[in-house]
Amino acid sequence: MAKWASYKVDEPVRKPHIRDVDGKRFKWWITVHFFDDKGNEYEKRTYHYTTPEEVLADIHAGKEINLNHCYVKGLSLGWRLNDEPIPVILHDAKEALFDGGLDFSGVDFNDGDISFFNSNFSGAVNFSYADFGKGDLWFQFASTDSYMAFYGAHFGNEYICFQYVDFGIGQTIFDCAKFGSGIFICQPMNSNSIMSFHQIECLSSNFYIRSSKNTQIGFHKVIWNTPTELKIENVRSVRFSDCYFNIPVTSLKIAHGFIEFDNCINNSVITVQWINCCFIDTFRFIQKVRRTYFWDKDVQFSIIGKHHRASETALLLKENFRKMGRYNDEDEAYFIYKKHQLRGRFWESIEGKWYKKFKLLWHGLGFLFQYIFFELLSGYGVRIGRAIVSTAVTIVGFALFYYLRITQCGDSFAGSSAEGVAGKVEQLSPAWQAGYHSAITFLTIGYGDMFPASKLLRVASGLEGYMGLFLMAVFTVTFMRKILR
């Protein structure tokens, strides 16, 4: 059934001669009218009417519960933490309507299959600390206008299906849940889902999550001790915080989304595959301060936290790529790590008491120097393209400066005292003199056939020679790093 905006319930009608689709005879029936967001009725359904008291009486009597095509209002078992589990033998609850939500917390289901296929929940759905046994669990096409909570629930070793589920306001909690060796498949229908998997326990589970581009998924304090396959597609973000990877994760596939590792420990290899998105896209999400994850009252603190989280994520991925032999991705991760580390240290150095703001000038100059020479010109020794471009720009830039001094200010280059050299230098055009001198100075060749005559040109030549030594060293290191790998 499509997502409804509201509904109206008629009075129960006694029809003891009518049987439902399972062939079971019920005495009372009820009609529910469903309306869309414009107030138009688009569907009318008839349910078997049963009261919570009848359901609770059957549960306490140990009878099998069949809630297929049933309408129940305010069904709650009243379980409290530290109470004994409540055994429930549930046949099925397909295409049911639970008015006022459903509270099955602390329920111990039997080991058979359980299905809430196409059921509707008007209100919160609570299965906290429920034990779903060893059978399959189906929530296909179910919907709620509130939230679903599976806090501390125990899932079996079979099939767990949440395909095409409308999670209402988008809050779905699987915190502290225990997943067996089965397959967990989830495909929410609503566009702003938030799925939380904090401190879950996994026993060789396979997670397949595919959703809309605004879905946010968080794994917090999860210890991966068994091989696990995570396939997450078409989501907005996936965040791993305080997680411990001890056994290789078979596959972590991210399609059309972003991934973040915050304070994680990786003792193995995480196989990460990006589908239809490049590696750098991962960090475009981290570079933006978002209230969803790490926004604090102090703006400067939020900026510091943003860069620290980005650098930690890049460092973890760098080590992971190195173990896998993906050296190009390792270099990319290292560049992003150094980039955010530089910015994080700068903001941290001036954050705090008011008198620290006086350090802005000193730390600002240090930041500017490192940004220009280490990041912009050399790319932290991992981007050979930047070294090549910096070399070309430096030679052409100084050549242009020499040319302007020669043509506009009357400066000149003097020739060597060697016979015939001075005349040949004077025969060169100003453009050739400027370009030739810039190239041999940058490359520190030093033929000696020409040299600057004015003081300003000599100072500029010395500066260009220093930059030439620096950039050539960067180019050599970067080039050899690529070749040796």
Side-chain angles (χ1 to χ4, degrees):
M1 176 166 31
K3 175 63 180 175
W4 37 264
S6 60
Y7 62 91
K8 184 183 70 172
V9 181
D10 293 343
E11 292 295 326
V13 178
R14 183 179 175 86
K15 298 180 179 180
H17 60 283
I18 299 180
R19 299 178 183 268
D20 71 349
V21 295
D22 292 333
K24 187 175 180 179
R25 189 187 300 274
F26 294 106
K27 295 181 179 180
W28 293 93
W29 296 77
I30 196 168
T31 301
V32 181
H33 306 266
F34 294 93
F35 303 91
D36 58 20
D37 53 358
K38 296 181 181 179
N40 299 321
E41 180 179 346
Y42 69 91
E43 189 171 3
K44 180 174 67 174
R45 284 199 171 191
T46 301
Y47 295 91
H48 162 57
Y49 176 75
T50 184
T51 63
E53 292 76 15
E54 293 175 346
V55 177
L56 294 177
D58 290 342
I59 290 176
H60 294 315
K63 297 181 179 179
E64 183 182 61
I65 307 301
N66 185 352
L67 297 178
N68 285 342
H69 316 286
C70 287
Y71 171 89
V72 188
K73 185 173 183 179
L75 179 57
S76 174
L77 302 187
W79 183 85
R80 297 291 182 268
L81 195 61
N82 298 325
D83 289 350
E84 291 295 327
I86 302 175
V88 174
I89 305 175
L90 179 63
H91 178 269
D92 267 330
K94 300 176 182 177
E95 299 184 345
L97 175 59
F98 296 92
D99 196 354
L102 175 65
D103 185 1
F104 265 12
S105 56
V107 169
D108 184 4
F109 292 99
N110 60 328
D111 290 336
D113 298 339
I114 303 172
S115 177
F116 288 88
F117 177 84
N118 202 23
S119 291
N120 295 274
F121 304 87
S122 176
V125 181
N126 189 3
F127 284 94
S128 298
Y129 298 100
D131 190 342
F132 291 99
K134 299 179 180 180
D136 296 339
L137 177 62
W138 298 84
F139 271 89
Q140 273 186 313
F141 297 100
S143 65
T144 178
D145 57 359
S146 184
Y147 67 89
M148 287 189 177
F150 296 88
Y151 187 94
H154 290 205
F155 296 96
N157 300 327
E158 301 300 330
Y159 201 71
I160 307 169
C161 183
F162 284 86
Q163 280 185 306
Y164 311 112
V165 176
D166 193 328
F167 287 113
I169 62 174
Q171 187 74 15
T172 309
I173 303 172
F174 292 95
D175 298 353
C176 299
K178 294 183 179 180
F179 294 88
S181 57
I183 300 176
F184 177 86
I185 295 181
C186 184
Q187 189 171 352
M189 292 181 62
N190 46 327
S191 59
N192 293 292
S193 298
I194 299 177
M195 304 185 67
S196 175
F197 296 88
H198 291 191
Q199 292 182 299
I200 64 173
E201 181 179 335
C202 300
L203 300 175
S204 301
S205 300
N206 296 322
F207 287 80
Y208 301 99
I209 302 176
R210 178 181 176 86
S211 183
S212 63
K213 294 184 178 180
N214 288 326
T215 298
Q216 303 173 50
I217 302 173
F219 293 90
H220 178 64
K221 291 185 177 180
V222 180
I223 300 177
W224 308 93
N225 282 322
T226 55
T228 304
E229 182 175 1
L230 293 175
K231 186 177 181 181
I232 303 173
E233 299 180 359
N234 205 32
V235 299
R236 173 182 171 184
S237 63
V238 183
R239 187 185 186 206
F240 295 88
S241 59
D242 298 311
C243 293
Y244 183 83
F245 298 92
N246 196 34
I247 298 294
V249 176
T250 305
S251 177
L252 177 57
K253 297 182 180 180
I254 307 297
H256 306 288
F258 308 94
I259 184 173
E260 177 185 359
F261 293 92
D262 181 14
N263 195 30
C264 295
I265 299 176
N266 179 23
N267 285 336
S268 61
V269 176
I270 306 173
T271 303
V272 183
Q273 299 181 29
W274 280 268
I275 306 172
N276 296 330
C277 56
C278 62
F279 175 78
I280 192 66
D281 287 340
T282 298
F283 298 93
R284 290 178 182 168
F285 168 76
I286 302 173
Q287 292 170 13
K288 299 178 182 178
V289 179
R290 297 187 180 273
R291 296 179 182 269
T292 305
Y293 288 126
F294 34 81
W295 180 270
D296 293 275
K297 295 181 180 179
D298 191 316
V299 176
Q300 291 182 347
F301 180 80
S302 65
I303 294 175
I304 296 171
K306 174 190 66 171
H307 290 299
H308 282 340
R309 285 175 170 83
S311 62
E312 290 174 358
T313 300
L315 182 60
L316 186 143
L317 288 177
K318 170 190 173 297
E319 295 300 323
N320 182 70
F321 288 138
R322 181 182 61 81
K323 295 176 182 179
M324 299 172 62
R326 295 168 56 178
Y327 298 117
N328 290 333
D329 288 338
E330 179 195 0
D331 290 344
E332 188 70 32
Y334 178 75
F335 175 82
I336 296 174
Y337 161 68
K338 296 296 294 184
K339 173 182 176 180
H340 287 281
Q341 185 187 58
L342 175 63
R343 287 156 176 75
R345 288 178 176 177
F346 169 72
W347 285 105
E348 190 174 17
S349 65
I350 63 174
E351 187 268 338
K353 301 296 183 180
W354 62 269
Y355 55 81
K356 284 192 175 183
K357 301 300 184 290
F358 291 103
K359 297 181 179 181
L360 178 61
L361 179 61
W362 173 253
H363 289 288
L365 292 175
F367 170 81
L368 189 62
F369 175 82
Q370 295 181 67
Y371 172 74
I372 293 176
F373 285 94
F374 297 160
E375 182 176 323
L376 193 62
L377 296 181
S378 62
Y380 296 109
V382 295
R383 291 192 170 180
I384 191 171
R386 292 202 176 195
I388 296 175
V389 172
S390 300
T391 298
V393 170
T394 303
I395 294 176
V396 174
F398 275 96
L400 181 61
F401 173 76
Y402 299 145
Y403 176 78
L404 294 176
R405 294 297 301 179
I406 294 173
T407 57
Q408 303 297 326
C409 302
D411 288 345
S412 62
F413 291 99
S416 172
S417 58
E419 183 179 354
V421 174
K424 293 180 179 180
V425 171
E426 294 175 355
Q427 293 176 4
L428 296 175
S429 65
W432 271 101
Q433 291 184 37
Y436 176 70
H437 178 76
S438 179
I440 63 174
T441 302
F442 182 89
L443 299 173
T444 64
I445 296 177
Y447 287 126
D449 53 348
M450 62 184 300
F451 55 88
S454 66
K455 292 182 179 180
L456 183 59
L457 290 183
R458 291 177 179 179
V459 172
S461 298
L463 178 60
E464 184 181 10
Y466 172 79
M467 294 187 65
L469 288 173
F470 173 78
L471 290 177
M472 289 304 297
V474 170
F475 174 79
T476 303
V477 171
T478 308
F479 181 77
M480 294 303 299
R481 179 187 179 94
K482 296 289 184 182
I483 292 297
L484 293 176
R485 286 185 170 184

